[in-house]
Amino acid sequence: MRMKIRYFDHAATTMVKEEVVKEMLPYFSLEYGNASSLYTLGRKARKAVEEAREKVAKAIGAKPKEIYFTSCGSEADNLALKGIAYHNQKKGKHIITSKIEHPAILETCKTLEKQGFEVTYLNVDENGFISLQELEASIRQDTILISIMFANNEIGTLQPIYEIGNIARKHHILFHTDSVQAVGNVEIDVEKMQIDALSMSAHKFYGPKGVGVLYVREGVEFDRIQDGGHQEKNKRAGTENVAGIVGLGKAIELATKNIEEYQKKLTNLREEYFSQIEEKIPNYKINGDRIKRLPGNANVSFEGIEGEELLLKLDEKGICASAGSACSSGSPTPSHVLLAIGLKPELAYGSLRISLGEENTKEDIDFLVEQLVEIIPKLRK
Ligand SMILES: *Cc1c(COP(=O)(O)O)cnc(C)c1O
């Protein structure tokens, strides 16, 4: 018999909801048309893609024509940064981002630096917030883009997006935000928040892997980075992943419908976890802000242990969690995010991230803490 799996890693990926799978299935078989074909079979695929586009637009307060489908969140980040940078390089070559971005942003910035762009990486404070003063002070004549993530994938910190949008607008600089962790967890309105470009990824909100979105405000121009056909208004060549796009559309519709209830549920479970740790395990530190964080994110460092060792012990009990982020596991250096908030390497190595979701219950939390209470003292010896 398969051991009961207790999944606490929703920031890494999520299970595709049954309703989402159901909507996708016909597009693998009966409705297999190419969305660019003119006959009825193709037009049906086109209609499905456009319906999904409308759902995405509605979920973030955008217009359907501002939505571009991509192959993942990473591609959306690449397209936003490179597309905007290349298009605006005559205006200027300076970009502002933060030290705690996802590798999809940081590595893209490194590539742009090699191509002659200059990048300012803003510091964050001990809770993971950028400073609005530092942001404003780093704006130059040649600044063309500010890219700051909505919610951090490791420590859950929610940046002051509205205020960043305000500053960007005041200085006539474009504002992109990697919102891959935020969509489905936090309400987003690109108008109110003055966001010019935004990335998301379906597999982080109970949709399929391998499909993402870049929103770009109407009137904001950007270059395409993948050459080929004219798909996605000539901004992203490649035959549309129709089933994936349909799944993304359904998933975002479901995710935004019950968002308040979902937030409440996850926040309660998270607080239950924090209070059980407080009660039962000495010498720990909560990473990220106590309040302004993703509802389901709990990142805790336990003194005197190795996060990866802890993960393996938890895995023996059927528990899926993360030490730092999935992208950096296996690498010997501590997480760049935990170092940026000023953690000593010993504490950074001993961090455990849990990210809660739909299926989690209080009983899961009880079980997890029970295991931690047993394992941590042994690892500390
Ligand atoms: C997961 C993630 C990405 C990458 O999305 P993929 O669809 O897996 O490429 C980018 N940014 C953040 C913040 C993420 O959590």
Side-chain angles (χ1 to χ4, degrees):
M1 207 186 77
R2 186 176 161 183
M3 189 180 11
K4 180 177 162 81
I5 295 291
R6 297 184 200 249
Y7 191 75
F8 297 98
D9 207 14
H10 294 79
T13 196
T14 56
M15 188 199 283
V16 185
K17 278 187 187 158
E18 250 174 69
E19 298 126 284
V20 173
V21 175
K22 213 172 122 210
E23 292 242 340
M24 292 173 69
L25 282 177
Y27 296 95
F28 290 111
S29 49
L30 281 180
E31 307 292 352
Y32 58 85
N34 183 317
S36 301
S37 300
L38 291 179
Y39 40 76
T40 308
L41 191 66
R43 288 207 307 271
K44 278 173 129 178
R46 168 59 52 201
K47 185 160 174 280
V49 167
E50 296 315 316
E51 279 172 7
R53 204 185 303 280
E54 280 168 29
K55 288 177 185 169
V56 174
K58 188 166 169 229
I60 59 168
K63 300 177 193 127
K65 63 178 160 194
E66 298 173 319
I67 303 301
Y68 301 86
F69 291 111
T70 66
S71 69
C72 60
S74 300
E75 190 198 335
D77 283 342
N78 270 264
L79 181 56
L81 266 56
K82 291 175 183 162
I84 288 173
Y86 297 156
H87 190 87
N88 290 289
Q89 54 187 321
K90 290 213 177 78
K91 256 188 248 164
K93 288 192 150 194
H94 180 234
I95 295 166
I96 301 171
T97 186
S98 83
K99 286 189 175 158
I100 62 165
E101 300 293 313
H102 187 275
I105 295 291
L106 291 178
E107 294 296 316
T108 301
C109 285
K110 277 192 205 158
T111 298
L112 288 169
E113 283 177 315
K114 281 183 204 143
Q115 296 168 345
F117 289 86
E118 278 181 73
V119 182
T120 298
Y121 299 88
L122 298 177
N123 292 306
V124 293
D125 67 15
E126 70 278 8
N127 291 329
F129 295 112
I130 65 154
S131 142
L132 295 170
Q133 287 75 25
E134 194 189 340
L135 168 65
E136 202 153 18
S138 48
I139 291 174
R140 318 190 314 206
Q141 274 299 321
D142 60 342
T143 307
I144 50 173
L145 175 65
I146 295 169
S147 179
I148 302 289
M149 72 200 314
F150 204 120
N152 185 268
N153 46 303
E154 294 189 36
I155 56 174
T157 303
L158 300 168
Q159 298 295 341
I161 292 299
Y162 173 79
E163 287 80 1
I164 299 170
N166 251 339
I167 291 174
R169 194 57 63 86
K170 192 171 93 189
H171 293 270
H172 308 289
I173 296 166
L174 295 173
F175 172 37
H176 166 258
T177 179
D178 175 340
S179 302
V180 175
Q181 290 292 334
V183 173
N185 282 305
V186 197
E187 275 154 82
I188 298 177
D189 186 319
V190 294
E191 276 311 315
K192 271 194 216 136
M193 296 171 168
Q194 308 185 72
I195 297 166
D196 297 308
L198 173 152
S199 311
M200 65 172 89
S201 177
H203 77 99
K204 303 285 175 76
F205 52 87
Y206 308 96
K209 293 171 185 62
V211 58
V213 162
L214 178 65
Y215 149 83
V216 181
R217 179 178 295 283
E218 188 179 12
V220 172
E221 295 188 60
F222 63 106
D223 287 3
R224 67 182 200 170
I225 59 172
Q226 172 153 298
D227 295 319
H230 298 303
Q231 290 89 354
E232 296 300 290
K233 295 170 288 285
N234 210 17
K235 294 298 190 196
R236 200 274 174 180
T239 299
E240 296 88 343
N241 172 4
V242 178
I245 289 168
V246 167
L248 186 150
K250 184 67 184 175
I252 201 166
E253 183 182 59
L254 293 173
T256 41
K257 205 161 60 188
N258 296 319
I259 198 160
E260 272 176 49
E261 219 174 289
Y262 186 66
Q263 286 170 336
K264 221 177 276 168
K265 176 193 151 132
L266 298 196
T267 304
N268 287 340
L269 286 176
R270 179 192 80 203
E271 289 305 311
E272 174 68 26
Y273 175 68
F274 283 154
S275 65
Q276 287 197 25
I277 300 241
E278 163 73 27
E279 193 185 322
K280 297 175 181 166
I281 304 176
N283 303 325
Y284 72 93
K285 180 186 175 300
I286 294 174
N287 300 315
D289 191 72
R290 204 65 182 72
I291 311 287
K292 289 180 188 155
R293 72 188 302 136
L294 284 170
N297 173 290
N299 186 318
V300 179
S301 286
F302 299 101
E303 246 176 74
I305 65 150
E306 272 283 348
E308 309 234 316
E309 248 186 294
L310 176 58
L311 277 194
L312 294 178
K313 294 284 178 212
L314 290 173
D315 182 43
E316 288 170 15
K317 304 289 180 184
I319 292 170
C320 308
S322 165
S325 79
C327 311
S328 64
S329 67
S331 74
T333 49
S335 138
H336 68 288
V337 177
L338 298 179
L339 294 182
I341 61 170
L343 279 201
K344 298 219 164 57
E346 307 90 82
L347 271 179
Y349 280 121
S351 102
L352 179 74
R353 176 191 74 183
I354 68 165
S355 41
L356 300 159
E358 195 90 350
E359 328 83 72
N360 292 125
T361 60
K362 169 158 187 308
E363 199 263 330
D364 284 340
I365 302 285
D366 296 343
F367 183 82
L368 170 62
V369 176
E370 246 170 66
Q371 304 313 311
L372 292 175
V373 165
E374 208 180 295
I375 297 166
I376 288 175
K378 284 185 197 155
L379 293 180
R380 278 176 171 166
K381 276 205 185 117

